[in-house]
Amino acid sequence: MIAGASVALGVPVYERTEKLRNLLESAENVPVDTVYVADNGHTDERRDLYDSEFAFDLVPIDVEYDSGLGNCRRSIVDRLDEDYLVIADSDHTIPGNVATLVDQLEARPEFGGVCGLLFEHGGLRGTCHDLYERGDILVRDIRGKEAELVAGQPLVEFDFLQNVAAFRRECVEDYAWDPQLQQGKPHLDFYVGHKRRTDWRFGCCPAVQFPHYPGGGSSYTANRNKRERLMDAREYFLDKWGYRQIVYGQLEWLETQDRLPSDGRVAELLAKRLLTRLPLELQAKVTDARQFVRKLQGRPPL
């Protein structure tokens, strides 16, 4: 990492205090100057943690209760003084080679952000993909990809990165997370905003892998999966950018851990392959039907 560059870590939290503690402890072993914790839960539950001594400056930000991920991320950007911002969630830990992401940004000044992969359940997961606008339809899919060697490690360009990434301060100042998006579409909005309004490019370095320990209490899970909140976020996002529908192709760039039985996984991949070969208007109608079925089942929207 370039001498003299300052690096911050930004993380939102609602509950999951012990997971946050693990993340903070992992950050003591990497070159991070400041950690901003945007707390939109019951802050008093973490008071002892915030009063602890760490190798970095810990800056808790008291965010409006239950105001969501977009507002938390925006509050971090509003406080940011450092040259680079690494974003993660409270159920991640920070790998020892995280500085590689900053090294690649230094080597490629046209890139605004570079992410790593997730290491979870004994496998690697990479949910990076590209965004294609076809009239009023947004297509999320992956086409042919090639890696190049940057700062001694591979870099693959994508439009949308997963939520373990390093950004230039100028990038997140040009377009940051929308505080109106509580849950459901804040990251998609971030990357659509950059595709529409800025010239920053983004990529993934598979050599950097963030351990991921997903899960939380029942109240956390219920709050995160509130159907009405997710529906409102989806409609807000569509109206904001003038989209009629979002069509989903292949979103898993790298996945070595099947989360479905093998037959089910094959069926899912074949269905996605067939869907993306239909005329776009028909893809949109199929997606409309999938959303209707999910509504009848009481499941969150796509």
Side-chain angles (χ1 to χ4, degrees):
M1 190 166 64
I2 189 169
S6 54
V7 180
L9 170 64
V11 55
V13 66
Y14 176 70
E15 292 182 350
R16 307 199 297 189
T17 302
E18 288 308 309
K19 291 182 183 290
L20 176 62
R21 185 187 303 277
N22 292 335
L23 179 141
L24 294 177
E25 290 175 352
S26 72
E28 291 200 280
N29 303 314
V30 299
V32 169
D33 301 286
T34 308
V35 176
Y36 298 97
V37 179
D39 195 326
N40 74 141
H42 295 292
T43 309
D44 289 343
E45 294 178 2
R46 285 167 287 282
R47 183 58 53 200
D48 289 344
L49 179 58
Y50 295 151
D51 289 339
S52 301
E53 292 291 330
F54 292 98
F56 44 76
D57 292 331
L58 179 60
V59 181
I61 305 172
D62 193 357
V63 182
E64 180 183 353
Y65 180 76
D66 198 20
S67 56
L69 186 58
N71 195 35
C72 286
R73 294 261 185 247
R74 175 61 69 87
S75 71
I76 292 168
V77 172
D78 290 344
R79 296 286 293 272
L80 184 65
D81 288 324
E82 289 71 22
D83 300 312
Y84 296 95
L85 171 66
V86 176
I87 63 165
D89 288 331
S90 59
D91 57 359
H92 300 137
T93 57
I94 309 301
N97 66 342
V98 68
T100 298
L101 303 180
V102 176
D103 291 339
Q104 291 192 323
L105 289 173
E106 286 290 334
R108 297 295 299 270
E110 71 275 23
F111 275 65
V114 176
C115 76
L117 299 177
L118 294 177
F119 178 73
E120 60 181 28
H121 303 308
L124 297 176
R125 186 181 181 199
T127 56
C128 305
H129 53 275
D130 291 321
L131 306 173
Y132 304 91
E133 292 184 328
R134 301 291 184 263
D136 59 358
I137 298 174
L138 176 65
V139 181
R140 306 177 66 175
D141 199 6
I142 302 169
R143 309 292 162 86
K145 287 294 172 183
E146 293 184 0
E148 59 177 319
L149 205 62
V150 176
Q153 297 294 343
L155 177 67
V156 185
E157 186 169 357
F158 290 97
D159 295 331
F160 180 100
L161 306 183
Q162 59 191 20
N163 192 28
V164 282
F167 297 94
R168 299 180 189 277
R169 183 175 65 191
E170 296 88 349
C171 174
V172 294
E173 287 177 343
D174 283 349
Y175 190 82
W177 290 266
D178 187 335
Q180 299 301 315
L181 282 165
Q182 294 181 323
Q183 197 72 38
K185 292 291 183 287
H187 295 304
L188 181 58
D189 176 87
F190 177 86
Y191 291 106
V192 168
H194 277 283
K195 193 172 183 69
R196 287 273 192 101
R197 298 180 180 178
T198 80
D199 295 322
W200 293 111
R201 295 163 63 182
F202 302 94
C204 175
C205 177
V208 181
Q209 299 157 15
F210 288 71
H212 184 209
Y213 307 96
S218 57
S219 62
Y220 168 81
T221 303
N223 184 69
R224 183 174 182 177
N225 294 321
K226 285 180 179 176
R227 177 175 171 79
E228 289 185 2
R229 172 180 285 189
L230 294 174
M231 282 296 299
D232 288 346
R234 184 177 186 278
E235 293 305 314
Y236 173 88
F237 172 82
L238 293 175
D239 290 343
K240 177 178 178 177
W241 298 110
Y243 295 130
R244 176 167 59 89
Q245 185 56 277
I246 304 169
V247 171
Y248 296 84
Q250 177 61 32
L251 304 184
E252 296 280 359
W253 172 60
L254 176 66
E255 184 182 25
T256 63
Q257 180 66 43
D258 285 342
R259 287 161 296 159
L260 294 173
S262 57
D263 290 346
R265 184 62 177 157
V266 170
E268 180 190 44
L269 292 173
L270 286 174
K272 285 184 176 181
R273 183 71 60 87
L274 291 172
L275 175 65
T276 56
R277 280 160 172 71
L278 296 173
L280 192 58
E281 284 296 326
L282 187 53
Q283 290 185 49
K285 291 181 180 179
V286 170
T287 306
D288 288 338
R290 292 177 66 194
Q291 295 283 22
F292 179 71
V293 171
R294 292 177 74 91
K295 181 178 180 180
L296 293 178
Q297 295 173 335
R299 298 171 63 192
L302 295 169

